[in-house]
Amino acid sequence: GEARGIYSTNVTKMDYGKINRISSPLYNSYNPAIIAIDNGKLFTAWDSYQNNTADIWGAKFSKGKWEKEFRITSDPRIERYPALALNGSELWLCWQAQSYGNNPPQHKHNKSIRLNHVDEQRIVVAQLVGNQLKSPIDLFNKVSTENTLLQRPNLFFTANGKMFLTAREPINPHD
């Protein structure tokens, strides 16, 4: 069968529209976020495991249909749990980036990874301009430090453009 996917439909009080698959049927995809941009346009982002890497992918909805998905991030870290926010007309994303470094492999189905036993787990924030990311200077190192493991971020902008970022710290950093 097909891999786990990201789907979309419009819903009213009395009905729903056609259910559309947004992500590729070839790869597992998880944790979708969606936001209305303007004039009926939408944007969605999710994490997907494709070609031995976990990255953030996205798609735009315009003129009544979803455009082809595109890769937003490409980092050696495992990138998951995207969240979306608007600052005026600017589209911003945040996500969790983690690595396993020197931990020994222990996953029962794939001996090359050890899920939830991380050496590094940070929060990344960036503005999406076209299909390119622009991140605030030093935010990666100053907000999400090497010694503080953070996960499942979210962000919000006030009416005057002040960004608020939230994240969760795990109970046990190596679980």
Side-chain angles (χ1 to χ4, degrees):
E2 293 183 340
R4 292 178 178 153
I6 305 303
Y7 293 85
S8 171
T9 188
N10 61 314
V11 179
T12 67
K13 290 180 182 179
M14 303 298 291
D15 200 7
Y16 63 93
K18 180 182 176 191
I19 299 171
N20 298 294
R21 185 177 185 124
I22 303 170
S23 63
S24 169
L26 302 176
Y27 305 101
N28 286 327
S29 297
Y30 310 90
N31 305 306
I34 190 169
I35 194 164
I37 300 172
D38 64 14
N39 299 324
K41 295 180 183 175
L42 305 173
F43 183 80
T44 185
W46 62 89
D47 53 84
S48 185
Y49 188 74
Q50 299 188 22
N51 303 314
N52 293 321
T53 182
D55 294 306
I56 307 299
W57 288 72
K60 298 172 185 173
F61 181 88
S62 181
K63 299 178 184 173
K65 65 178 185 170
W66 286 102
E67 298 175 8
K68 183 175 172 42
E69 69 176 350
F70 65 96
R71 186 184 203 172
I72 299 172
T73 65
S74 59
D75 189 89
R77 294 174 185 91
I78 293 173
E79 298 173 300
R80 304 173 67 196
Y81 304 109
L84 304 168
L86 287 177
N87 182 19
S89 62
E90 299 173 349
L91 177 59
W92 286 78
L93 292 86
C94 65
W95 64 93
Q96 171 182 317
Q98 63 194 47
S99 60
Y100 298 97
N102 298 322
N103 289 315
Q106 302 233 342
H107 190 272
K108 65 182 178 180
H109 298 296
N110 183 343
K111 298 298 181 192
S112 66
I113 62 173
R114 182 172 177 157
L115 294 175
N116 298 327
H117 193 96
V118 299
D119 288 329
E120 175 188 46
Q121 189 163 282
R122 297 186 185 207
I123 301 305
V124 186
V125 177
Q127 180 187 359
L128 185 64
V129 179
N131 291 353
Q132 299 292 315
L133 294 171
K134 295 189 176 191
S135 192
I137 296 173
D138 289 336
L139 183 99
F140 185 75
N141 295 321
K142 291 182 179 177
V143 171
S144 186
T145 66
E146 188 174 328
N147 297 323
T148 304
L149 302 180
L150 296 173
Q151 56 189 206
R152 301 202 177 144
N154 211 334
L155 76 159
F156 175 81
F157 287 92
T158 64
N160 64 354
K162 186 174 184 178
M163 179 193 298
F164 282 85
L165 179 65
T166 63
R168 172 172 86 83
E169 185 175 38
I171 294 172
N172 180 345
H174 296 293
D175 282 340

